[in-house]
Amino acid sequence: MKILVGIKRVVDYNVRVRVLPDGSGVDIDGVKMSINPFDEIALEEALRIKEAGKAAEVIVISCGTDECQQQLRTALAMGADRAIQVKTGSALQPLSTAQALLRVIEREQPGLVILGKQAIDDDNSQTGQMLAALWNRPQATFASKLVFEGEKLTVTREVDAGLETIEVDLPAVVTVDLRLNEPRFVKLPDIMKAKRKPLDVIPLEELGASLASNLDITRYAAPPLRQKGIRVENAAQLVQELKNRGLL
Amino acid sequence: MSKILIVAEHDGHTLNLSTAKCVSCAKAIGGDIDIAVLGQGHDAVGAQAAALAGVSRVLMISAAHLAHPLAANWAPEVLQLAANYTHVIGPSTTMGKDLMPRVAALVGVNQFSDVMEVLSPLSFRRPIYAGNAIIDVKAAEGQKIVMTVRTASWPATGSGGNAVVEQRTAQGTAAGHSRYLALNSAGSERPDLQGASKVVSGGRALGSAEGFALIYRLADKLGAGVGASRAAVDAGYVPSDMQVGQTGKIIAPDLYLAFGISGAIQHITGIKDSRTIVAVNKDAEAPIFEIADIGLVGDLFTVIPEIEALLG
């Protein structure tokens, strides 16, 4: 079985992004870029499945400019066998990404596709579900545990009411939540080795994904600030303050 | 005029509060509002949906394969209904986040995720970068709108409505490749975290699952829901469904009390719409104090019993 893992290049988790003064976007000039943290968890899970002897190959895929090859190389250093860059100059919205992934799935025939549950830049949380819809296959979103039984996969999902368990037939799309695993660190020799692993580039146009339904972002703004609060010295003052405000 | 369809969230017996919040968002769009209630043997939920003020019709679709909200089974059903509507809306809960993008892909459109404000029937405001930026997003004229509603940004519509309840027949069948097995719920008597008007939350400073008892006790005294930081969940003090933050639950109670929570950005994202935020932390430099309305630098292990004593 092949596993396909989606990788998105995003502003690093630790960077606090700022909106440009003219409202045209966020300032990402010179900031550190990384693999979307949820995608890193997706890749870690794929590698563990392979290491457990349940998969033969782990392929990582990213849609973007040549810069996303940095993240694909990191993914190869983590242990992926090969990488695919879907080359495009425009920022893809989820439906276009799902269409591009589907075309690659038709070529590669993976038994499992694992993606992060959302990207920490646009916070859309759509691509995996959309891919499952277009592919007409099961989706198991927000996964915190995967158990294989033959051609079936039992997935524990983190839902608002607790932990839900569903069973899906393969092939399927899984999107992963935080608690599924802790991704490994990349070792230096593996970074050297990763340079020799295959990285194929496919132009987006060749895949026929459409940008027609793109939504138009008309304005970026900084979030409204909360009014500055007060400090109290002790529990008695705190309780009094809450009573004064009608909250107790 | 817009024709709006809301997909109801429920557990088979009770309508989730998020549906009433979707109605408020639908009213901001303006137009005719219907609610689709998919499930099986769930008539009580239909009656609750019909009582929401401002709703025209409730469409009940009952079938065995719709008993649980499996997106693979629900999405084709919602797609059938969507033909008659300009807008299809679900809540930005795990149920809505799972279902609605699948619906959007079948419709052939990108989804508006986490809508916090309506600018026009085609234009909406939503957060990105964990709320560090807010964007205005617009769809092309004539495009069908599929969206999830950021529940913390909207009040729940009240009751007093009297919508027509229509029984509809399911158009689809089970997808066959996806099966619901079980839900393990922590099952608490306390108010639901997302609907509670008061929430008491604890962080890693509680030190242990036993230490967290302090938080539960205060919450019970206040009639509050109980939440936790990601650090407390990761440390195993509480189950994951109590996590408040960007990757957990996003909440907006009238009163949020944070004990021993430093205030990582991902936690702040989940609470910053709360009306009043109280922070108690030993570390005077903790980032939570930057957004707290009332801050108290102190040891929660002495402050909480003092508060309890003062409440009598």
Side-chain angles (χ1 to χ4, degrees):
Chain A
M1 178 175 81
K2 287 184 195 174
I3 303 178
L4 185 69
V5 177
I7 298 286
K8 187 175 185 185
R9 172 184 165 93
V10 298
V11 173
D12 188 80
Y13 189 76
N14 291 309
V15 175
R16 191 155 187 174
V17 300
R18 281 176 211 294
V19 173
L20 291 166
D22 65 357
S24 64
V26 293
D27 187 5
I28 55 168
D29 200 25
V31 305
K32 187 182 177 205
M33 304 295 283
S34 298
I35 296 178
N36 178 43
F38 292 106
D39 300 348
E40 218 174 2
I41 295 169
L43 174 55
E44 175 65 34
E45 194 65 15
L47 296 174
R48 290 185 190 188
I49 294 166
K50 187 190 167 194
E51 284 157 6
K54 296 189 177 76
E57 190 181 29
V58 175
I59 308 164
V60 286
I61 182 168
S62 190
C63 304
T65 61
D66 287 346
E67 287 179 315
C68 77
Q69 289 187 9
Q70 292 168 16
Q71 280 65 43
L72 287 173
R73 289 290 173 201
T74 305
L76 291 170
M78 272 179 74
D81 296 294
R82 61 187 169 97
I84 298 170
Q85 177 199 358
V86 175
K87 187 167 176 166
T88 169
S90 34
L92 295 191
Q93 293 188 6
L95 186 60
S96 309
T97 307
Q99 287 168 343
L101 290 177
L102 179 64
R103 294 287 103 78
V104 173
I105 284 170
E106 285 162 356
R107 294 181 183 191
E108 297 285 349
Q109 301 286 324
L112 184 61
V113 179
I114 314 182
L115 309 175
K117 75 162 180 177
Q118 72 190 72
I120 61 164
D121 51 3
D122 58 31
D123 286 331
N124 269 319
S125 189
Q126 298 179 27
T127 304
Q129 298 89 313
M130 289 185 156
L131 172 61
L134 300 178
W135 195 14
N136 198 19
R137 293 303 307 165
Q139 69 187 51
T141 53
F142 325 136
S144 63
K145 193 179 171 196
L146 306 184
V147 179
F148 286 90
E149 275 174 66
E151 289 298 295
K152 289 182 194 139
L153 179 62
T154 303
V155 183
T156 304
R157 307 178 54 231
E158 291 200 6
V159 297
D160 292 334
L163 295 174
E164 184 189 271
T165 317
I166 63 170
E167 183 185 71
V168 298
D169 298 338
L170 298 177
V173 178
V174 170
T175 79
V176 305
D177 217 320
L178 269 186
R179 268 172 285 274
L180 183 61
N181 62 47
E182 272 190 46
R184 65 196 64 189
F185 289 104
V186 173
K187 295 188 215 72
L188 197 57
D190 294 330
I191 296 175
M192 304 309 291
K193 258 198 289 189
K195 289 183 178 156
R196 293 191 297 274
K197 289 183 176 175
L199 192 162
D200 294 332
V201 180
I202 308 174
L204 179 70
E205 301 75 49
E206 199 182 298
L207 295 174
S210 156
L211 306 175
S213 70
N214 270 10
L215 303 175
D216 186 19
I217 302 178
T218 55
R219 175 176 174 263
Y220 290 75
L225 293 172
R226 282 187 78 93
Q227 233 176 354
K228 186 133 184 64
I230 60 157
R231 288 280 175 107
V232 292
E233 296 303 320
N234 52 48
Q237 282 182 17
L238 173 58
V239 169
Q240 192 54 50
E241 190 61 38
L242 291 174
K243 282 184 174 159
N244 290 350
R245 298 184 188 203
L247 290 161
L248 288 182
Chain B
M1 195 179 69
S2 300
K3 284 192 54 98
I4 304 164
L5 181 70
I6 295 167
V7 184
E9 175 167 2
H10 62 91
D11 61 4
H13 310 283
T14 309
L15 188 68
N16 191 287
L17 190 70
S18 63
T19 305
K21 296 189 167 194
C22 288
V23 175
S24 292
C25 179
K27 285 178 179 166
I29 296 167
D32 216 24
I33 304 170
D34 293 352
I35 300 182
V37 190
L38 282 62
Q40 186 190 25
H42 57 305
D43 287 345
V45 181
Q48 292 160 36
L52 292 175
V55 177
S56 304
R57 293 186 303 172
V58 171
L59 313 177
M60 297 293 294
I61 304 180
S62 183
H65 71 283
L66 302 176
H68 301 286
L70 274 175
N73 287 346
W74 278 36
E77 217 53 56
V78 176
L79 176 70
Q80 293 283 338
L81 297 171
N84 301 316
Y85 295 89
T86 55
H87 296 69
V88 186
I89 301 180
S92 188
T93 55
T94 51
M95 171 270 179
K97 285 180 185 173
D98 183 50
L99 173 69
M100 299 310 289
R102 189 155 185 138
V103 172
L106 295 178
V107 170
V109 296
N110 280 295
Q111 173 189 275
F112 292 84
S113 298
D114 307 316
V115 168
M116 53 198 288
E117 207 176 319
V118 174
L119 305 169
S120 82
L122 288 176
S123 182
F124 306 91
R125 191 160 280 174
R126 62 172 299 255
I128 57 171
Y129 287 102
N132 283 315
I134 308 294
I135 54 173
D136 296 350
V137 195
K138 198 170 187 302
E141 199 75 43
Q143 180 183 315
K144 202 181 288 287
I145 308 286
V146 179
M147 65 162 75
T148 60
V149 169
R150 185 174 185 273
T151 51
S153 301
W154 298 90
T157 282
S159 58
N162 189 18
V164 179
V165 179
E166 294 178 14
Q167 301 290 337
R168 299 284 184 94
T169 313
Q171 301 293 305
T173 52
H177 51 50
S178 307
R179 290 163 294 276
Y180 172 91
L181 298 182
L183 175 67
N184 266 317
S185 180
S188 157
E189 296 296 306
R190 296 188 178 86
D192 173 59
L193 194 48
Q194 271 161 319
S197 64
K198 296 181 190 126
V199 170
V200 182
S201 251
R204 190 158 37 195
L206 270 305
S208 66
E210 294 71 37
F212 222 84
L214 214 54
I215 298 289
Y216 290 122
R217 224 168 54 207
L218 179 61
D220 290 346
K221 198 142 211 170
L222 293 168
V226 179
S229 69
R230 181 181 155 190
V233 174
D234 285 348
Y237 304 164
V238 293
S240 61
D241 55 339
M242 282 171 56
Q243 184 181 326
V244 172
Q246 194 207 355
T247 55
K249 292 190 171 110
I250 294 174
I251 60 172
D254 292 336
L255 176 60
Y256 184 77
L257 298 138
F259 291 95
I261 292 177
S262 63
I265 180 69
Q266 80 94 18
H267 186 78
I268 303 292
T269 302
I271 63 165
K272 65 180 177 196
D273 290 327
S274 307
R275 195 153 315 151
T276 301
I277 295 173
V278 175
V280 176
N281 203 298
K282 265 205 296 211
D283 176 10
E285 304 300 317
I288 188 108
F289 287 122
E290 284 169 30
I291 60 131
D293 299 288
I294 308 174
L296 169 54
V297 179
D299 184 352
L300 65 93
F301 290 102
T302 54
V303 172
I304 292 178
E306 283 170 12
I307 295 173
E308 277 187 285
L310 288 158
L311 293 173

